[in-house]
Amino acid sequence: QVQLVESGGGLVQAGGSLRLSCAASGRTFDIQITGWFRQAPGKEQEIVTSIRWSDGATYYGDSVKGRFTISRDNAKNMVYLQMNSLRPEDTAVYYCAASRMVYRDLERFSTSKNYHYWGQGTQVTVSS
C-alpha cells in the first residue's frame, strides 16, 4: 500500500501563487506516475498534471499550461505542484494520486481509473 498526504492548500487572491506538496509513504517503489487532479463544486474531476518518476516526463492539462509546474524529489518521495497566476476558476479540492502502471503517453493516461492510490485532498480557493 501507498499512503499520500497533501498539504499547502489555502485561500489566495487571483494572480497569486500556492505550492502544494504530496508526501508518499509505504510501498513507494510501486509508484510509477503521480498526478494531481482537482474537483470543483458541481463539476467533474479533472486531471491537472502528472509526472513519471523514472524520467521526469510531465503532462499538463490545457487550463494550467504555462501557470502550473509539477516536480518531484525522488529521495524524499515528494511531489510538488507550484501554482502561479491563480484564477478563481482554479478553485477546487486538489488530490494527489499515484499509479503502479508504467505508461508512456501521459496524456492518454490522464484518467482517474488509472490511479491506484489517492490522498485526502486539499482545498484551494482563489478569490477575485
Side-chain angles (χ1 to χ4, degrees), residues 6 35-39 45 93-97 118-122:
E6 304 99 333
W36 286 96
F37 289 78
R38 67 185 182 186
Q39 187 162 22
Q45 189 179 67
V93 177
Y94 284 70
Y95 298 91
C96 176
W118 292 81
Q120 80 286 353
T122 186

Side-chain angles (χ1 to χ4, degrees), residues 29-119:
F29 50 83
D30 278 349
I31 300 174
Q32 301 296 328
I33 296 170
T34 298
W36 286 96
F37 289 78
R38 67 185 182 186
Q39 187 162 22
K43 295 187 177 181
E44 292 188 357
Q45 189 179 67
E46 65 172 343
I47 183 78
V48 177
T49 179
S50 60
I51 189 166
R52 188 164 51 224
W53 283 69
S54 61
D55 59 3
T58 58
Y59 165 78
Y60 293 92
D62 288 341
S63 61
V64 306
K65 282 180 182 176
R67 300 188 298 124
F68 291 11
T69 304
I70 190 171
S71 61
R72 80 207 191 287
D73 184 329
N74 292 43
K76 296 181 178 179
N77 294 317
M78 296 288 296
V79 174
Y80 305 99
L81 179 62
Q82 179 65 43
M83 304 185 295
N84 298 329
S85 302
L86 283 161
R87 305 167 179 168
E89 54 264 40
D90 294 317
T91 295
V93 177
Y94 284 70
Y95 298 91
C96 176
S99 176
R100 300 189 302 264
M101 295 174 63
V102 177
Y103 206 84
R104 181 174 180 82
D105 187 333
L106 292 180
E107 181 175 3
R108 294 187 63 183
F109 194 76
S110 298
T111 177
S112 57
K113 68 180 181 180
N114 289 329
Y115 288 80
H116 305 93
Y117 308 106
W118 292 81

